[in-house]
Amino acid sequence: MRIRPVWAVPRSRPAHVRRRGPRRGPALALTALLLAPVPACRRPITPPGAPTPWPAAQAESWRWQWQLTTPVDVTVDADVFLLDPVTTTSAETAALREQGRRLVCHVRVGTYAADDPDATRFPAAVRGTAAAGRPASRFLDVRNWDALAPVLADRFRLCRGKGFGAVAFADADGYRHRSGFPLDFDDQLLFNRRLAGLARKIGLSPGLVDDVAQVAALAPDFDFAVNQECVRRRECAKLLPFVDAGKPVFHVEYTGDPADFCVTSVGYGFASIRKDRQLDAGREPCVLP
């Protein structure tokens, strides 16, 4: 029986996303293959150039890791690795693929940093204000698709070339911040949908990072979600469109005892971990009795 937090709105759940027992803790080479995490046997999951599939039957059983520091710890017992495509080496991605891991590249799509290798490719007209808490990063004018698409396409190609089969879009909610542009809900919605289509064209499975306010509208366009602190923010219920569609939700909390927040997040059907905010190799996965 699915465990529910007291503040969640009760709702019926499809049979394929109900929990029925204890949860188990459980540079370019364009021909790279990802391998599927199947017990006792690792086999190719997708042909070259095809996005990573996420079988609905496994949506609640993925073990995942999010590391943006280097070097990447390739020994972590996880099925899915969310990594930085620039600093992660081809040797590291190759080692993970040899173990049958699924690789997701973390790409900031609504901001750029001054030290990004491609920072000078963004025209002055699309450079906005600094992101809060990240003075070296600035928002981008997501209304100007023609200026942004070539740069972002090359970022996606770098992911594909290093052997990633999926991409997670970070900073895909500039309309909710003081970006320096009059962005609105519809501007962001169109941009995010275009990004999902561009990723698929390049051979990557698209995933949405946060942007919880638009999940109901965007869930059909994306294959998975990555969420930060929905338990602390009390907004996990907004991610249910992904779960109801049999799509994985990779969730992280940075504070609190996993013994407490896992009851909520696993009850929703998320793959949950606790990490430090610097997103190093350390992790505490949710393992409920």
Side-chain angles (χ1 to χ4, degrees), residues 2 11-18 54-60 62 200 215-216 218-225 237-249 268-270:
R2 185 177 295 278
R11 55 187 289 169
S12 60
R13 307 305 306 275
H16 72 279
V17 297
R18 292 189 181 131
W54 304 96
Q58 295 175 250
E60 295 186 37
W62 297 111
R200 292 188 194 281
V215 162
L218 289 174
D221 299 281
F222 286 81
D223 294 342
F224 62 95
K238 295 180 180 179
L239 293 157
L240 287 174
F242 278 97
V243 180
D244 290 342
K247 299 177 180 181
V249 174
Y268 274 117
F270 304 162

Side-chain angles (χ1 to χ4, degrees), residues 28 85-86 105-127 138 140-142 144-160 167 169 191 194-195 198-199 202 204:
L28 302 174
V86 176
C105 63
H106 175 276
V107 175
R108 297 192 183 279
V109 294
T111 63
Y112 78 96
D115 59 354
D116 286 345
D118 56 4
T120 59
R121 295 184 60 190
F122 292 110
V126 303
R127 303 181 185 188
R138 292 185 173 273
L140 294 166
D141 186 353
V142 301
N144 195 334
W145 177 252
D146 289 342
L148 300 183
V151 186
L152 296 174
D154 284 345
R155 289 186 176 188
F156 297 168
R157 291 188 184 100
L158 173 63
C159 296
R160 184 73 257 183
V167 55
F169 303 149
F191 178 69
R194 282 173 162 173
L195 284 173
L198 179 61
I202 292 173
L204 297 168

Side-chain angles (χ1 to χ4, degrees), residues 213-265:
Q214 294 191 329
V215 162
L218 289 174
D221 299 281
F222 286 81
D223 294 342
F224 62 95
V226 177
N227 175 264
Q228 301 176 92
E229 300 191 290
C230 76
V231 174
R232 184 181 71 82
R233 299 175 188 275
R234 297 199 169 193
E235 57 186 15
C236 294
K238 295 180 180 179
L239 293 157
L240 287 174
F242 278 97
V243 180
D244 290 342
K247 299 177 180 181
V249 174
F250 301 109
H251 161 257
V252 63
E253 292 286 326
Y254 300 119
T255 60
D257 186 341
D260 296 327
F261 72 73
C262 289
V263 172
T264 297
S265 61

Side-chain angles (χ1 to χ4, degrees), residues 59-73:
E60 295 186 37
S61 61
W62 297 111
R63 300 166 301 166
W64 79 294
Q65 164 70 318
W66 192 357
Q67 182 179 352
L68 298 184
T69 61
T70 57
V72 174
D73 185 350

